[in-house]
């Protein structure tokens, strides 16, 4: 009889997906208190006081139950209003909006609801690291479309067209982009939308950084002519409202797709946490000014940090959205992994090596500037000293 081993029990599908490259890198930094982390994609702001107070009140009133599976109707109504006022996309709260456990659950549900084995899932890269593993877990084949710093990491219709096959089914868009900070304008979207329409593609548009744009307004893919019904818009409260730990996100789209996702959501998580939903309602009703103040702070940090990177000799394309800078480290001759390790061990600055974000990420590092100006300045000084000591200053 074969000997028993747990590793043989784990599904091969799960075994084949790599652990998160970001988390793996951070275990190296654990325990070192002196480290300045530009690694995690998380606001340094605490959720505003009035939001926390609204939750304390709700708890005191005994609000500790499940909610309806799709989320509190008041929250779905507030989300629909917010998207309409901010991004000119209109959704019916009763059947086109689903409240999820972070944008993360919405991505998972969408891919589970859409993918059949052999379907091709197109992902412009560098991109957020969760899409490919979840698509693969569902038997999908991930097709990466490389984007380039010279093009400000924008997706072009030509590059998209070049990877379309009869198996192409889903296109996952993430603008403003993590990790590059790239955005797309209305004029740049139109030819992409044409390719989507001509090839009957479904779009999952992860717009979790929609509010975080600088010098240009975000254009929701769902707001483009003819795109609303073939686009699932995903967003959430983690980034713009500084609410990562509350775990509230949402998906909006065609009622049949939302119903399919709701079916999975009912069996797997039942509903998003009620307290997070109460917090999200408070944020949308009374937290818009505070959100704008946080965005203004990111705008200021972005200007000083990107300028600082260039001054220490790290070329950096202008990130127009999210809260990441994605400087090139190509001139050092090191891989992004070796360079990020060097910064971690020699300068006590944690960044993320670009290769974890897919094709086109090698030669870059991701630095989050959701940190105080003084910490960002200190990080720049440390990086400068480290580069000069290694004779790698590109100045
Ligand atoms: N999409 C993108 C592009 C992200 O960067 C993140 C968080 N890093 C998420 C989705 C998930 O966020 P959450 O689950 O906290 O809403």
């Amino acid at each position: 009889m074969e000997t028993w081993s747990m590793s043989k029990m784990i599904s091969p599908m799960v075994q084949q997906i790599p652990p998160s490259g970001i988390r793996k890198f951070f275990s190296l930094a654990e325990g070192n208190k002196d480290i300045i982390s530009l690694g995690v994609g998380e606001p340094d702001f605490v959720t505003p006081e009035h939001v926390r107070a609204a939750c304390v009140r709700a708890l005191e009133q005994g609000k500790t139950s499940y909610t309806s599976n799709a989320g509190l109707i008041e929250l779905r109504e507030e989300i629909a209003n917010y998207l309409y006022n901010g991004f000119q996309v209109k959704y019916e709260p009763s059947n086109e909006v689903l409240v999820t456990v972070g944008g993360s659950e919405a991505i998972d549900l969408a891919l589970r609801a859409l993918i059949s084995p052999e379907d091709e899932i197109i992902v412009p890269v560098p991109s957020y690291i969760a899409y490919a593993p979840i698509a693969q877990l569902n038997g999908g084949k991930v097709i990466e479309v490389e984007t380039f710093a010279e093009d400000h990491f924008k997706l072009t219709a030509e590059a998209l067209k070049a990877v379309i096959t009869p198996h192409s089914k889903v296109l996952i868009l993430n603008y403003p982009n993590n990790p590059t900070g790239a955005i797309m304008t209305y004029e740049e979207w139109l030819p992409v939308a044409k390719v989507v329409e001509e090839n009957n593609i479904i779009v999952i548009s992860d717009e979790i950084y929609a509010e975080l744009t600088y010098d240009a307004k975000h254009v929701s893919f769902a707001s483009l002519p003819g795109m609303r019904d073939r686009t699932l818009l995903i967003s959430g409260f983690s980034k713009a409202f500084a609410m990562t730990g509350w775990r509230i996100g949402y998906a909006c789209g065609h009622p049949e797709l939302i119903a399919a996702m709701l079916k999975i959501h009912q069996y797997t998580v039942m509903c998003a946490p009620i307290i997070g939903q109460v917090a999200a309602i408070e944020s949308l009703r009374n937290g818009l000014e505070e959100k704008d103040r946080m965005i203004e702070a990111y705008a200021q940090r972005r200007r000083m940090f990107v300028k600082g990177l260039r001054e220490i000799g790290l070329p950096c394309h202008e990130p127009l959205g999210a809260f990441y800078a994605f400087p090139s480290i190509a001139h050092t001759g090191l891989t992004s992994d070796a360079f990020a390790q060097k910064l971690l061990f020699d300068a006590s600055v944690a960044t993320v090596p670009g290769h974890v974000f897919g094709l086109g990420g090698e030669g870059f590092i991701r630095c989050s500037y959701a940190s105080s100006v003084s910490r960002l300045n200190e990080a720049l000084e440390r990086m400068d000293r480290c580069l000069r000591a290694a004779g790698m200053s590109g100045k």
Side-chain angles (χ1 to χ4, degrees):
M1 207 173 69
E2 238 187 296
T3 50
W4 191 91
S5 108
M6 183 57 90
S7 59
K8 285 193 196 137
M9 299 289 157
I10 308 293
S11 140
M13 198 88 114
V14 174
Q15 292 198 32
Q16 70 162 22
I17 60 168
S20 156
I22 300 182
R23 295 282 149 194
K24 192 172 87 186
F25 201 75
F26 282 110
S27 55
L28 291 172
E30 247 159 30
N32 185 342
K33 289 207 174 56
D34 183 44
I35 284 179
I36 297 185
S37 178
L38 309 181
V40 197
E42 173 158 26
D44 61 324
F45 297 109
V46 171
T47 307
E49 203 277 330
H50 69 97
V51 177
R52 288 181 278 138
C55 287
V56 171
R57 276 197 306 279
L59 281 173
E60 282 168 355
Q61 288 161 9
K63 288 202 175 146
T64 57
S65 61
Y66 292 132
T67 69
S68 75
N69 294 126
L72 294 168
I73 185 67
E74 299 93 310
L75 175 54
R76 285 181 277 147
E77 283 166 357
E78 291 295 342
I79 291 169
N81 281 339
Y82 177 70
L83 290 175
Y84 184 64
N85 294 334
F87 306 105
Q88 294 72 55
V89 277
K90 201 164 190 168
Y91 292 104
E92 166 53 44
S94 65
N95 63 352
E96 294 183 327
V97 180
L98 172 63
V99 178
T100 54
V101 180
S104 301
E105 194 213 354
I107 296 166
D108 183 34
L109 292 177
L111 290 169
R112 289 208 239 182
L114 288 170
I115 299 179
S116 305
E118 309 307 323
D119 284 345
E120 291 181 356
I121 318 304
I122 303 171
V123 185
V125 282
S127 84
Y128 181 47
I129 53 168
Y131 310 133
I134 299 175
Q136 282 156 359
L137 277 177
N138 288 288
K141 190 169 161 206
V142 175
I143 308 293
E144 295 187 329
V145 181
E146 188 170 351
T147 61
F148 301 94
E150 306 84 89
D151 306 330
H152 299 283
F153 295 104
K154 288 174 189 285
L155 174 65
T156 64
E158 294 68 39
L160 175 60
K161 217 186 267 174
V163 299
I164 301 259
T165 74
H167 295 289
S168 304
K169 182 162 185 186
V170 179
L171 168 65
I172 305 184
L173 296 173
N174 172 217
Y175 294 90
N177 180 269
N178 170 5
T180 64
I183 63 161
M184 295 279 288
T185 65
Y186 183 82
E187 287 70 29
E188 287 159 352
W189 271 138
L190 288 180
V192 173
K194 189 156 175 271
V195 178
V196 163
E197 188 151 37
E198 283 167 359
N199 294 280
N200 263 330
I201 304 284
I202 290 234
V203 173
I204 296 176
S205 189
D206 178 351
E207 303 184 14
I208 198 145
Y209 297 101
E211 295 88 345
L212 308 185
T213 56
Y214 314 100
D215 306 336
K217 205 173 154 357
H218 173 68
V219 179
S220 173
F221 195 80
S223 73
L224 300 168
M227 288 300 111
R228 182 192 177 277
D229 280 351
R230 58 169 74 244
T231 300
L232 181 79
L233 189 160
I234 289 178
S235 192
F237 292 84
S238 289
K239 313 291 177 176
F241 292 93
M243 288 178 56
T244 47
W246 301 86
R247 310 307 304 126
I248 302 294
Y250 51 89
C252 303
H254 193 287
E256 285 178 48
L257 176 54
I258 293 294
M261 291 168 61
L262 179 60
K263 213 159 38 166
I264 309 171
H265 173 82
Q266 281 170 343
Y267 288 125
T268 51
V269 309
M270 311 271 272
C271 65
I274 186 167
I275 277 305
Q277 295 190 53
V278 168
I281 293 172
E282 173 65 18
S283 290
L284 291 181
R285 288 189 181 155
N286 300 310
L288 301 187
E289 278 174 24
E290 222 137 339
K291 167 195 67 109
D292 290 343
R293 271 200 292 278
M294 291 191 273
I295 295 170
E296 187 40 53
Y298 295 133
Q300 192 195 350
R301 295 160 181 198
R302 180 187 74 101
R303 277 192 295 274
M304 68 79 44
F305 189 67
V306 172
K307 182 165 169 275
L309 286 172
R310 291 173 181 157
E311 279 168 7
I312 65 170
L314 294 181
C316 188
H317 95 105
E318 189 75 25
L320 291 178
F323 41 48
Y324 307 104
F326 202 56
S328 167
I329 51 110
H331 70 276
T332 66
L334 295 180
T335 62
S336 59
D337 216 67
F339 186 81
Q341 288 204 35
K342 187 168 184 54
L343 280 187
L344 186 59
F345 295 126
D346 298 357
S348 293
V349 175
T351 58
V352 182
H355 75 91
V356 308
F357 301 101
L359 214 59
E362 188 48 89
F364 297 87
I365 54 167
R366 188 190 78 173
C367 310
S368 162
Y369 54 80
S371 232
S372 67
V373 168
S374 63
R375 291 198 50 90
L376 290 172
N377 266 322
E378 170 69 21
L380 285 167
E381 274 168 31
R382 290 186 188 186
M383 287 161 81
D384 187 31
R385 276 199 299 276
C386 172
L387 283 167
R388 279 191 283 121
M392 287 175 177
S393 176
K395 282 194 269 191

